[in-house]
Amino acid sequence: MSEFIFGPWPWFIAGPLIAVTMLVFLWIGKRFGVSSNLRTLCAMGGAGAMADFFKFDWRSQTWNLLFVAGSIIGGYLAAFHLSDGSEVQLASDTVVALERLGFQDTGSAFLPDELFGLESGLSLKAILILLLGGVLVGFGARYAGGCTSGHAISGLSELQLPSLLAVVGFFIGGLTMVYGIMPLIF
Amino acid sequence: MKGIIYIALGIIFGIGLSKAEIISWYRIYEMFRFDSFHMYGVIGSAVILGIIGIALMKKLKLKDIHGEEIKFPQKDFSIVRYVVGGIFFGLGWALVGACPGPMFILIGHGYWSIFIVIAGALLGTLIYGVLRPKLKH
């Protein structure tokens, strides 16, 4: 049992857990979607002065911010109390492809040192990549009206055609990045 | 006290996504290369169970805890908005290896550089809000 808890969990535990989270949200009268919190945080920071999009009662969204706070606690518990420190076991083709791009020690942590490592100080290039990637995620999530949780999980579960279009868009973008752009920037 | 349920759901979500390594940059890269079934298993099983659960909710006309019927309004149809917005999102998702949920969960793991990604995501949201009147929806 403890081996199971502390080792990595298989997809057939995580998938149902996500589905249950979404269904409980519906049952308590709310919608599961993480990226709306970015809008709420902008509104809290006074972005209403810049655009009407942020003029709404952000206090009505406190429940979703609490969910995010909980997820940070969950991340902490998983990392520091429920982990045996095992490496991410990646497909061998993925490891080879990453080595070709110049990524070493693939899977030894959740995130690659080449982009996120703070030990040798972040390079200007890494900072720009992280910032730009974040901008794309934030802009795209609001333009598309949702992210992985809102469209790929909630929307597809409701059989919403717009969500399927959004997921197709996620993959067009993701494949373009992985095959077209990443070989040029790494 | 009412907030406890949201925090509890968040904790379960954060632990689940962490333990199944969905928050790993590497897993996202692997997914977009179609090298492993893992991410498809996670999203696929979540969606299949979600479809069944929501179909049951509709059929049983289930009420939420406030006694109101759970409704599923159709999203307004548009191709540009969802596909183009989705492409922007996908480009960023593959580059930083994290969508909004994992971005926050990674704070709990002590990956402080993720704050740069979150700052970017807030900036991107702000840019959308400002450009919104000019964008085709």
Side-chain angles (χ1 to χ4, degrees), chain B residues 6-63:
Chain B
Y6 302 109
I7 296 175
L9 279 171
I11 291 175
I12 294 167
F13 184 70
I15 291 177
L17 264 64
S18 298
K19 292 302 301 173
E21 301 170 336
I22 299 156
I23 60 168
S24 169
W25 183 93
Y26 296 109
R27 285 281 183 223
I28 305 304
Y29 183 77
E30 188 185 49
M31 172 184 81
F32 281 124
R33 284 183 48 89
F34 303 101
D35 282 344
S36 161
F37 177 71
H38 186 77
M39 287 297 300
Y40 297 97
V42 172
I43 298 175
S45 61
V47 170
I48 289 170
L49 283 172
I51 289 172
I52 296 170
I54 287 175
L56 281 172
M57 282 179 165
K58 284 181 180 167
K59 199 169 166 73
L60 300 172
K61 294 198 177 12
L62 204 75
K63 292 189 166 62

Side-chain angles (χ1 to χ4, degrees), chain A residues 5-7 9 15 27 31 70-72 76 79 82 91 94 109-110 112 116 134-135 143-144 148 152 160 163 170 173 175, chain B residues 10-11 19 24-26 30 32 35 42 45-47 64-65 71 73 75 81-82 90-91 99 104 108-109 111 113 120-121 136:
Chain A
I5 290 175
F6 293 95
W9 292 0
W27 180 58
R31 289 289 160 124
S71 75
I72 297 172
Y76 166 78
L82 296 169
T94 302
F110 274 176
F116 293 88
V135 168
Y143 195 3
T148 327
Q160 300 259 12
S163 293
F170 295 171
L175 294 174
Chain B
I11 291 175
K19 292 302 301 173
S24 169
W25 183 93
Y26 296 109
E30 188 185 49
F32 281 124
D35 282 344
V42 172
S45 61
V47 170
D64 64 22
I65 49 166
K71 291 208 175 74
K75 293 182 197 289
R81 169 171 196 189
Y82 297 108
L91 287 166
C99 47
F104 291 105
H109 287 249
Y111 287 107
S113 36
K136 201 173 166 203

Side-chain angles (χ1 to χ4, degrees), chain A residues 106-148:
Chain A
T106 42
S108 59
F110 274 176
L111 308 180
D113 267 348
E114 286 82 354
L115 269 177
F116 293 88
L118 289 170
E119 255 133 61
S120 49
L122 278 174
S123 65
L124 180 64
K125 182 180 158 186
I127 292 173
L128 289 176
I129 287 175
L130 296 181
L131 197 64
L132 174 71
V135 168
L136 288 166
V137 168
F139 178 83
R142 277 292 55 73
Y143 195 3
C147 60
T148 327

Side-chain angles (χ1 to χ4, degrees), chain A:
Chain A
M1 187 66 192
S2 76
E3 208 172 288
F4 171 77
I5 290 175
F6 293 95
W9 292 0
W11 60 266
F12 53 83
I13 300 293
L17 211 59
I18 295 170
V20 168
T21 304
M22 178 200 63
L23 293 170
V24 171
F25 264 114
L26 286 168
W27 180 58
I28 56 183
K30 297 286 191 284
R31 289 289 160 124
F32 173 50
V34 182
S35 65
S36 350
N37 288 296
L38 297 167
R39 182 188 181 198
T40 308
L41 288 170
C42 284
M44 281 172 77
M50 294 174 75
D52 289 346
F53 183 61
F54 301 107
K55 282 182 190 155
F56 66 98
D57 177 22
W58 59 262
R59 284 179 186 80
S60 67
Q61 300 298 309
T62 311
W63 61 273
N64 213 346
L65 294 174
L66 289 175
F67 175 73
V68 167
S71 75
I72 297 172
I73 300 170
Y76 166 78
L77 292 173
F80 298 103
H81 297 283
L82 296 169
S83 173
D84 58 7
S86 50
E87 298 197 350
V88 182
Q89 298 291 329
L90 296 160
S92 50
D93 288 355
T94 302
V95 175
V96 172
L98 282 169
E99 274 170 3
R100 228 177 270 141
L101 287 181
F103 286 87
Q104 309 295 325
D105 302 323
T106 42
S108 59
F110 274 176
L111 308 180
D113 267 348
E114 286 82 354
L115 269 177
F116 293 88
L118 289 170
E119 255 133 61
S120 49
L122 278 174
S123 65
L124 180 64
K125 182 180 158 186
I127 292 173
L128 289 176
I129 287 175
L130 296 181
L131 197 64
L132 174 71
V135 168
L136 288 166
V137 168
F139 178 83
R142 277 292 55 73
Y143 195 3
C147 60
T148 327
S149 48
H151 277 310
I153 307 292
S154 295
L156 290 187
S157 294
E158 291 176 25
L159 305 175
Q160 300 259 12
L161 184 59
S163 293
L164 184 62
L165 291 175
V167 173
V168 168
F170 295 171
F171 270 84
I172 297 173
L175 294 174
T176 307
M177 180 53 70
V178 163
Y179 288 102
I181 303 176
M182 277 167 68
L184 301 176
I185 55 178
F186 290 115

